[in-house]
Amino acid sequence: MNWWVLPWWVLASAVGFAVGGLIEAAAGPLEGVAVLGYVTAGGAAAAVLQWPVLRRHVARAGRWVGAGIVGGAVVGVAAIALGVLAGLGAGAVGDAEAGRAFGEDVAGVSAAVLYGTAVGMLQGRLLRPRFARAGRWLLASAVGWIVAGLTAGVTEGIAGWAVLGAVYGAITGGVLVALLRQRPEETPAGE
């Protein structure tokens, strides 16, 4: 296996997600689930930078970017729906303003939890034909995103976005390295 895979993956993830921070710096901060636009842009940029690693090992690696964008869009819709339902429920038992605030909180938290899962599920489908243990990607992406989200607050702005990407890249990159180390007999039939 090539020694450069993990450092490249972490760097690609950090730089890619920093793009989300650049967009936020230019357009202004968003609140709640709307921040998924910046996250999806950063994820797409990271996927473009990750592509050189993947194209050597994964058929249809060009679809990696689309998986990140579609995953972000699906999470956005799901998180908004959850937030609206939670807000309506909370508003029905309390005042409307408290219900709206609760709905925004639910949408934001569910987006953070679901993003890594949705993207990991779609990207894992691209890895499955090549790697027998590709199911680990879903777990790595979900856990990676949650841990990255918790560490992103260490610093603010573009640097915070880069930290988020680096942490996510280290976790998912470690799993990618393990997948790349599989022996040929461990790969799915037909490979």
Side-chain angles (χ1 to χ4, degrees):
M1 194 199 72
N2 297 318
W3 65 269
W4 53 269
V5 169
L6 185 59
W8 177 266
W9 196 264
V10 172
L11 180 64
S13 299
V15 170
F17 278 102
V19 167
L22 286 170
I23 295 170
E24 181 184 45
L30 292 178
E31 294 183 10
V33 76
V35 77
L36 271 177
Y38 298 156
V39 171
T40 301
V48 167
L49 296 171
Q50 292 164 346
W51 175 78
V53 173
L54 290 175
R55 70 184 171 94
R56 297 171 173 244
H57 306 285
V58 177
R60 302 180 322 228
R63 295 181 181 180
W64 195 257
V65 177
I69 293 169
V70 170
V74 166
V75 169
V77 170
I80 289 169
L82 287 170
V84 167
L85 291 173
L88 288 173
V93 297
D95 67 55
E97 185 60 31
R100 185 187 65 75
F102 180 69
E104 287 178 4
D105 289 344
V106 167
V109 169
S110 62
V113 171
L114 295 174
Y115 182 83
T117 303
V119 171
M121 188 179 305
L122 293 171
Q123 290 175 339
R125 290 183 56 110
L126 296 172
L127 296 173
R128 191 174 306 133
R130 168 66 171 84
F131 303 108
R133 297 184 186 112
R136 294 177 180 180
W137 188 262
L138 172 60
L139 180 62
S141 183
V143 169
W145 185 251
I146 292 168
V147 172
L150 293 172
T151 60
V154 170
T155 186
E156 295 183 16
I158 297 167
W161 284 85
V163 167
L164 179 142
V167 170
Y168 181 76
I171 292 170
T172 57
V175 169
L176 180 62
V177 167
L179 292 174
L180 291 172
R181 288 185 175 156
Q182 286 184 178
R183 294 184 306 275
E185 63 271 12
E186 294 178 295
T187 60
E191 285 295 312

